[in-house]
Amino acid sequence: MTGASAVEDIVKSEYAHGFTTEIESDTLPPGLDEQVVRAISQRKGEPEFMTAQRLKAYRHWLTLREPEWAAVNYPKIDFQAISYYSAPKRPEDAPKSLDEIDPVLLETYNKLGIPIEEQKALAGIAVDAVFDSVSVATTFRSTLAEAGVIFCSISEALRDYPDLVKPYLGSVVPYTDNFYACLNAAVFSDGTFVYVPKGVRCPMELSTYFRINARNTGQFERTLIVAEAGSYVSYLEGCTAPQRDENQLHAAVVELIAMDDAEIKYSTVQNWYPGDERGVGGIYNFVTKRGDCRGARSKISWTQVETGSAITWKYPSCILRGDEAVGEFYSVAVTKGRQQADTGTKMIHLGKNTRSTIVSKGISAGEGQQTYRGLVRIGRRAEGARNHTQCDSLLIGDRCSANTVPYIEVKNPSAKMEHEATTSKISDDQLFYCRSRGLTEEDAVSMIVNGFCKEVFNELPMEFAVEAQKLLSISLEGAVG
Amino acid sequence: MLSVTGLRATVGDKEILKGLDLKVGPGEIHAIMGPNGSGKSTLSHVLSGRDGYTVTAGSVLFEGQDLLTLEPEVRAQLGLFLAFQYPVELPGVNNTYFLKAALNSLRKARGEPELDAVSFLRLIKEKLKILHLDDSLLKRAVNAGFSGGEKKRNEIFQMALLEPKLAILDETDSGLDIDALRVVAEGVNALRSPERSMIVVTHYQRLLDYIQPDYVHVLARGRIIRSGGKELALELEEKGYGWIDAELAA
């Protein structure tokens, strides 16, 4: 057994969560035109302003070209070959309790190790389970309602609280922002809406489990979280997907808005199908996530653990508009096999004395390719702004690669910037040392990797940290012998 | 306990061990001394199963089992321990967590129940006391940023916790000043027992002022060319290794 053979096996380990649930879907045929955009809006029973906005986005999208600047390679996507809407059958009969939920669906969650019942009992987490494109299970709504917190699907929100949604939707990520965000604005299927009123501390961690399921269906999630002055909310997003042949496009948009003294903590564990050994069939993940610290002393933290997808293109960002606002980005990204990731963050300092922290941990194994791409911009008015950036890369084997591309723009001379970057390898010496103490090579790799990621895991809520560690171990399973 | 017969090993094309014989009985302490390049570290590494060495002839039996066919972790589970000449740093891996995982993997392999956090903490507190170590090293990452002396002490601490049947101390004295050397040697002495054998590999005699061996062997050019009691070490100290070369040439 050598370090090299360990690496071979990491690379070859099969995707543990790959399986397809057989549920009949009410799916639109592949293709995209104005008819399709109207049909989506209609099926969701949206107010007219939304239909109009979708069409505006669609027309703008036609004028845009796919971005090519990211360090990722993939065959050109045929946007006419994708089906833009898929809902589990009987969308009108929304389930009232778990008994009403399709047992096949529940079994899927069980296979993923996230049974809804147990989560309710153990973690006290409200689960808005998104299966394909429509929410099929929402729990703990009453507890949240008592606190005045709205936690529902974005389609419901558009129907029930259109006046609340309208001013915020698209205010952080406008449809003109980029190619994928624009596409999302035109065809988004469903997603989550959270509204936390003034001064309210959300009584529980909010969690949505996403799952891509219908064959060859693009997933265009839309998430909007609004935290009013002095409020706090922690939101968890976790995903796994079944094994499949076709490449799947996922282009989500997440918008966060924090008013004066509000705090939003957004945590993601992502484990989408990365493709087979040759990289065939994995998910393309082109996501736009952005938080707007609109109020003074507001705070937005992004924590992400990314182990899946064939291609990841993702830069959760913070606009630090309010004075003394705080932005944080903690990330662990794993690429193995033929996975490619171009990920990082943007911290835009506009307000005075704004602070941001970036901690990025990249792990590459097999032929995995990874690029950290980060922008820190200090605006002219951002007196006393500070940023600390730390980018560490860990390489396993000698066929993978890691790049760090930091962009720094400072327009105010009082700003303080720190940037640290390291690249290291798991050495044969480290593996032998652990093995001579009785640990298997697999345990040794998992221990070293978890040690490397500790600073980020510490930022995750407890239950999620455990899940993230488990996921990392599964990802690197068979890393060894 | 351990029986090495006619052991030959190569690194690349180069033969380092050229027919080495060694027998270690229960509770015995054997010192292996030799000049640089004589094969001391190769012997430690071959016994513990490190990659990069090819055994071309000979056998190694540990309590009757053929050690050479076993993975390093299996050797550890059987009760073999190597104190490294250069202990390896594991940044981010907490020392206590590492030790608990190591001990439990040994216990599991032996069919013993794994220790829970509370009993494990009790156990390490007890071991720290025996070795007169303070508990600050438990909170740090394994060997990361440790001084040379701290690293060697941590090795002895691991040995105390894992309770091997046979410990190989590979140049444990290298890079230590006299005070650190004394602390480490006292630790080793505290761990002497009729059931525990040790092979102390060293370049200098001074370690043997503190750890009294039962036997001393001189390793040169890949073979043990002389064996004797502890007086042999003193003779070496006096005459130097040049004397061996002269004798081999004759």
Side-chain angles (χ1 to χ4, degrees), chain B residues 181-194:
Chain B
L181 183 69
R182 192 178 293 130
V183 172
V184 167
E186 276 167 10
V188 171
N189 286 328
L191 300 174
R192 287 182 87 147
S193 92

Side-chain angles (χ1 to χ4, degrees), chain A residues 105-405:
Chain A
L105 193 62
L106 290 179
E107 209 192 306
T108 305
Y109 287 119
N110 284 323
K111 280 190 207 168
L112 292 171
I114 47 163
I116 291 173
E117 303 92 321
E118 272 184 34
Q119 281 175 4
K120 276 168 53 176
L122 291 174
I125 291 173
V127 177
D128 176 20
V130 174
F131 189 83
D132 274 14
S133 312
V134 168
S135 299
V136 290
T138 304
T139 48
F140 285 107
R141 292 277 280 275
S142 59
T143 316
L144 292 172
E146 268 171 45
V149 175
I150 300 172
F151 176 44
C152 62
S153 76
I154 197 96
S155 335
E156 259 181 287
L158 279 164
R159 283 194 301 267
D160 301 347
Y161 319 99
D163 297 338
L164 195 54
V165 178
K166 197 176 170 184
Y168 295 113
L169 193 70
S171 72
V172 185
V173 181
Y175 68 89
T176 50
D177 191 81
N178 71 69
F179 182 84
Y180 295 106
C182 185
L183 179 61
N184 177 290
V187 301
F188 73 84
S189 38
D190 211 336
T192 306
F193 175 66
V194 178
Y195 179 81
V196 191
K198 208 168 170 178
V200 170
R201 192 178 169 87
C202 185
M204 59 185 66
E205 312 260 8
L206 302 179
S207 167
T208 301
Y209 286 89
F210 290 89
R211 201 160 154 77
I212 301 173
N213 212 284
R215 189 158 274 269
N216 212 20
T217 303
Q219 183 95 352
F220 302 93
E221 298 289 343
R222 188 95 197 181
T223 301
L224 175 62
I225 300 178
V226 180
E228 291 284 9
S231 67
Y232 168 85
V233 63
S234 166
Y235 183 82
L236 320 179
E237 168 199 46
C239 336
T240 72
Q243 202 152 358
R244 55 178 59 257
D245 301 315
E246 288 93 342
N247 284 312
Q248 285 187 306
L249 176 64
H250 184 95
V253 171
V254 176
E255 296 176 283
L256 312 182
I257 296 154
M259 301 306 192
D260 286 356
D261 300 294
E263 179 176 351
I264 302 175
K265 197 171 164 59
Y266 193 103
S267 313
T268 306
V269 171
Q270 187 264 111
N271 181 28
W272 283 325
Y273 182 53
D276 64 14
E277 263 178 55
R278 286 162 296 124
V280 175
I283 305 290
Y284 292 178
N285 192 22
F286 300 98
V287 185
T288 306
K289 287 185 168 175
R290 195 172 301 155
D292 190 352
C293 285
R294 234 166 248 190
R297 298 167 304 279
S298 55
K299 179 177 176 182
I300 290 180
S301 302
W302 298 99
T303 305
Q304 58 172 23
V305 177
E306 303 275 323
T307 66
S309 298
I311 295 176
T312 302
W313 182 97
K314 183 180 173 189
Y315 315 89
S317 307
C318 295
I319 300 168
L320 304 171
R321 206 182 295 277
D323 290 347
E324 292 170 54
V326 175
E328 293 177 336
F329 174 75
Y330 297 94
S331 169
V332 167
V334 180
T335 51
K336 58 170 186 170
R338 295 287 179 87
Q339 280 176 280
Q340 307 173 53
D342 194 304
T343 182
T345 183
K346 288 189 256 182
M347 292 291 173
I348 312 295
H349 292 253
L350 301 176
K352 290 189 180 62
N353 299 315
T354 45
R355 283 179 290 136
S356 62
T357 303
I358 299 172
V359 177
S360 163
K361 303 277 181 176
I363 300 161
S364 296
E367 291 168 58
Q369 282 181 37
Q370 205 168 123
T371 301
Y372 167 82
R373 191 182 301 276
L375 168 67
V376 180
R377 179 184 292 155
I378 311 286
R380 232 176 288 281
R381 281 188 51 253
E383 203 70 34
R386 295 182 64 167
N387 165 265
H388 178 81
T389 299
Q390 187 188 333
C391 297
D392 298 323
S393 304
L394 183 69
L395 305 176
I396 307 177
D398 51 16
R399 288 178 297 156
C400 52
S401 66
N403 301 296
T404 301
V405 188

Side-chain angles (χ1 to χ4, degrees), chain B residues 35-223:
Chain B
N36 290 331
S38 57
K40 297 194 299 289
S41 283
T42 300
L43 176 62
S44 305
H45 290 155
V46 168
L47 290 180
S48 53
R50 187 182 196 122
D51 278 333
Y53 301 90
T54 312
V55 173
T56 52
S59 69
V60 178
L61 295 179
F62 179 62
E63 296 197 309
Q65 287 211 56
D66 178 5
L67 211 53
L68 297 175
T69 57
L70 303 174
E71 298 292 341
E73 59 268 32
V74 179
R75 299 183 199 202
Q77 287 154 6
L78 291 175
L80 191 74
F81 180 88
L82 172 65
F84 281 56
Q85 182 179 1
Y86 304 109
V88 180
E89 301 195 2
L90 303 175
V93 180
N94 174 272
N95 214 9
T96 308
Y97 177 72
F98 175 74
L99 292 170
K100 182 162 175 263
L103 181 64
N104 278 335
S105 83
L106 298 188
R107 291 179 66 97
K108 208 165 133 193
R110 293 174 193 146
E112 297 165 19
E114 296 186 23
L115 286 186
D116 58 38
V118 177
S119 1
F120 179 75
L121 276 177
R122 199 176 300 137
L123 180 67
I124 50 176
K125 288 271 154 65
E126 188 185 304
K127 299 291 180 186
L128 283 171
K129 221 172 181 177
I130 297 173
L131 300 179
H132 305 291
L133 297 174
D134 80 285
D135 57 4
S136 64
L137 63 87
L138 294 176
K139 298 181 188 105
R140 296 161 66 183
V142 181
N143 294 325
F146 282 28
S147 71
E150 284 174 324
K151 282 183 182 172
K152 297 295 171 80
R153 259 180 281 171
N154 197 28
E155 293 292 288
I156 303 305
F157 176 55
Q158 290 184 21
M159 174 171 140
L161 193 72
L162 301 178
E163 301 184 319
K165 291 178 189 154
L166 172 65
I168 304 166
L169 309 180
D170 188 7
E171 307 219 16
T172 295
D173 51 335
S174 70
L176 293 188
D177 62 33
I178 200 75
D179 292 326
L181 183 69
R182 192 178 293 130
V183 172
V184 167
E186 276 167 10
V188 171
N189 286 328
L191 300 174
R192 287 182 87 147
S193 92
E195 294 83 40
R196 181 168 300 133
S197 315
M198 296 189 196
I199 297 175
V200 180
V201 177
T202 181
H203 186 91
Y204 299 106
Q205 195 272 336
R206 61 170 193 172
L207 179 64
L208 305 181
D209 287 342
Y210 301 98
I211 303 173
Q212 300 268 322
D214 299 307
Y215 302 94
V216 174
H217 309 277
V218 180
L219 180 62
R221 300 180 185 179
R223 285 190 300 141

